[in-house]
Structures are given as C-alpha cells and as structure tokens.
Amino acid sequence: MGSMVGALRPSERAALRQLARNELPRLYALARRLGGVDPEDLVQESLLRACRSFSSLRDLQAGPKWLTTILTNTWRDWLRKDLREPDEVPVEEDGPFSLYHIIEEEDPFPYSDTLHVDVLGAFSEHDVREVLHRVPPRYRVALVLRYIEGYSATEVAEMLERPPGTVMSQLHRARQRFEREMWSYAGESGLLAGATAGERPGRGQVSS
Amino acid sequence: MTPPVGCDEAVRRLWEFLDGGLDERDHRRVEEHLAWCLRCCGEVAFARELRGLLRTRTGITLPDEARNRMERFIDELGEETEERSCP
C-alpha cells in the first residue's frame, strides 16, 4: 500500500521534521529503554507513522507526548507476543517484596552508617539498565513511562489505552519486580561484595 | 472513624502514596502511620531514592553515527515515498 506521507503540506512537513529533530535523542533513549527491538528501526518506523497521522496533531506543543505515544504503541505492536507471555516468576512468588527490608536483613555493608544508600550507590548506569531489562516488557513499559519519562499515572493510562486502575496495578507489580530483580542482579553479579542473598539456584554469574 | 494502617499496608501502598495515587482518605491514613512509624519512614526515604535512581541512572546518549543516519532519514521525512515495512 502506498503511504500518505506525500499528503503533507510543506509547512506541515517542516514542522514535523523540526519536531522529530528536537525529539530525536529522547526518542532514541526511550526506544533503548523499552528494549527488545533495534532502537533505530523503532524510531524510524514511529516517525513514519507520525508522518501518516500528522493531521491528528492539533497542537505542536503536544508533539513530544504524541511522539512518545506513537513510539510506545509501535513497540507494543512489534512485541505483541512477548507482552502476552507469562512471567518466568509465578504469581505466588511475585508477591510482596521489600528491597528495603532485605537489605536491612542481609546487611551487605556491615560497617556502613548509610546502608541503603550505599547499596543503591553500588549500581552503575549500566547495572540499572540491565535490571530494567530483566523486568518483563509489559511492566517495564509502565516503569519507563512513569518514572523515567515522568508522565503521570493518568497519562500513562491514556498512552497505553488502559483503565487507570489497571495501570496502577501494573505499576505496583512493576516496582515489586524491579526491586526483586535489583537484589537478584546484585547477588549474581557480585555487586555487593560479601552479599550472598539474591543468588538463585541454576542462574550463572552475569559478566558485565 | 477510619481504622489505622499497619506497616504491611503502608509499605504496600507507599509508591502509590508518593505518586499521589491514593484517594484522600487512604492518603491520610498512610500519612498518619508515617507520623509515628520510624521504620516505614525509612521505607519512604528509600522509595524516593529508588525513584531517583530510575530517573537519573538510566541515561542513554545518542551515538553520533546513529544520529547522522536518523537525521538523514528525517531530512526525507514527508517526501512522497513508498511506505517502508517493519523489520
């Protein structure tokens, strides 16, 4: 099918290109954080979709959020199968988990006066990104949009076309999973020297 | 008279509390709990740190080569071309 991209007026084309240029670093970062696909391909396909639906953008000020929604939906279309797959961790094991409590109990830095802050400080940018990508895609998307991109829970619900209550519950599970994966990753990668908890039988060392 | 919130419930609803996602009554109940529970105050401070970590330690820089390729793509965006397919 031929595209509708040629239908844009020159002024619209210029406005879209300017918007795309301005938002490029953020869209690329968002694509990398969502993960699971080639980020450049995702950005380009999203921009093509944006081009085709440019007439639906009434206010250029809303352009960044509009592009975020398009990119997120394109990513969801591409990952549709993965988004439906059940978690590796069964629901009953995915119950309440408090990283705060487990740090206190395991006390990986016994001489520290700022134990919890020190544990978080052990995670580099690379480590945090690795942990984020261990969170299943359908939870990761909520974490990324809410806590990294900074949209409100209501806005995330609009972007994902889900009821706000569903998104709140998705966010709750996402946070729990993120905390659980942080602890697991710390144990497996030896991030907290001397920490033994977090190791799961059958999982090997993670080289980083 | 609303029943007091215990530590379990306060911790479970902490991020929602920080997100402003609780209704007024539940928000107040968690707030009342935090007014006297030192342990849960520690949880709140930690949850704030964790949110900060997500925001500040997931930085990604756009590599120059990728930028150049995508800018070339943008330069042609809106020209009359055939639709490109998804990979």
Side-chain angles (χ1 to χ4, degrees):
Chain A
M1 188 180 86
S3 72
M4 296 292 290
V5 293
L8 288 185
R9 289 195 297 269
S11 61
E12 291 176 321
R13 203 156 52 206
L16 176 64
R17 287 177 184 174
Q18 190 57 51
L19 174 65
R21 269 188 216 100
N22 292 346
E23 293 300 309
L24 188 56
R26 195 181 63 80
L27 292 175
Y28 178 81
L30 175 60
R32 285 270 310 271
R33 288 176 186 129
L34 290 174
V37 297
D38 183 283
E40 280 186 59
D41 286 345
L42 179 58
V43 170
Q44 292 186 359
E45 174 62 17
S46 304
L47 291 176
L48 282 176
R49 290 189 185 192
C51 203
R52 290 196 284 272
S53 60
F54 191 68
S55 58
S56 69
L57 178 63
R58 303 268 175 234
D59 174 11
L60 263 181
Q61 296 292 319
K65 184 176 166 186
W66 176 73
L67 284 178
T68 301
T69 305
I70 292 174
L71 189 141
T72 304
N73 284 324
T74 307
W75 175 81
R76 288 168 74 204
D77 287 346
W78 287 6
L79 259 75
R80 204 165 285 282
K81 181 174 164 286
D82 291 344
L83 291 167
R84 277 200 302 263
E85 277 177 0
D87 295 353
E88 281 174 37
V89 178
V91 173
E92 61 270 21
E93 284 179 34
D94 211 11
F97 178 87
S98 165
L99 183 58
Y100 178 83
H101 281 177
I102 202 156
I103 290 171
E104 205 164 69
E105 284 162 17
E106 298 292 336
D107 197 6
F109 300 128
Y111 301 107
S112 170
D113 292 331
T114 52
L115 177 61
H116 293 87
V117 173
D118 289 350
V119 168
L120 295 186
F123 285 81
S124 67
E125 288 199 350
H126 168 81
D127 297 322
V128 177
R129 283 198 301 267
E130 287 290 312
V131 172
L132 188 63
H133 284 144
R134 287 174 167 220
V135 175
R138 68 172 180 278
Y139 298 132
R140 192 192 315 141
V141 62
L143 274 185
V144 168
L145 292 175
R146 174 68 190 92
Y147 297 111
I148 301 176
E149 294 295 317
Y151 293 105
S152 71
T154 309
E155 287 175 311
V156 175
E158 284 166 10
M159 288 172 164
L160 299 179
E161 295 171 315
R162 295 272 183 276
T166 305
V167 167
M168 290 308 282
S169 138
Q170 203 174 348
L171 276 169
H172 176 71
R173 295 200 69 176
R175 293 183 298 250
Q176 291 268 304
R177 193 58 182 268
F178 183 75
E179 289 192 20
R180 195 184 288 275
E181 295 296 348
M182 274 188 86
W183 186 246
S184 178
Y185 178 88
E188 289 168 18
S189 61
L191 210 57
L192 312 174
T196 53
E199 290 174 359
R200 286 184 185 174
R203 285 204 179 184
Q205 292 288 313
V206 174
S207 57
S208 55
Chain B
M1 175 82 181
T2 52
V5 170
C7 288
D8 282 353
E9 189 181 346
V11 167
R12 189 165 50 80
R13 314 198 77 171
L14 214 53
W15 285 56
E16 266 182 279
F17 170 80
L18 292 173
D19 277 351
L22 296 177
D23 63 33
E24 200 179 326
R25 174 177 166 272
D26 285 340
H27 188 92
R28 202 172 51 242
R29 289 171 72 218
V30 174
E31 210 165 42
E32 282 166 5
H33 179 87
L34 294 174
W36 59 266
C37 182
L38 270 182
R39 188 180 171 86
C40 286
C41 282
E43 287 259 15
V44 173
F46 183 69
R48 285 202 175 104
E49 291 283 340
L50 206 50
R51 286 155 57 108
L53 173 129
L54 260 172
R55 201 175 50 249
T56 59
R57 240 174 281 173
T58 49
I60 288 168
T61 307
L62 172 57
D64 287 342
E65 280 187 18
R67 178 192 287 274
N68 292 339
R69 276 192 299 272
M70 285 190 284
E71 281 188 341
R72 280 200 297 276
F73 177 85
I74 290 171
D75 287 342
E76 294 173 9
L77 197 60
E79 299 295 344
E80 200 153 2
T81 55
E82 285 301 303
E83 186 174 1
R84 299 173 202 198
S85 58
C86 300

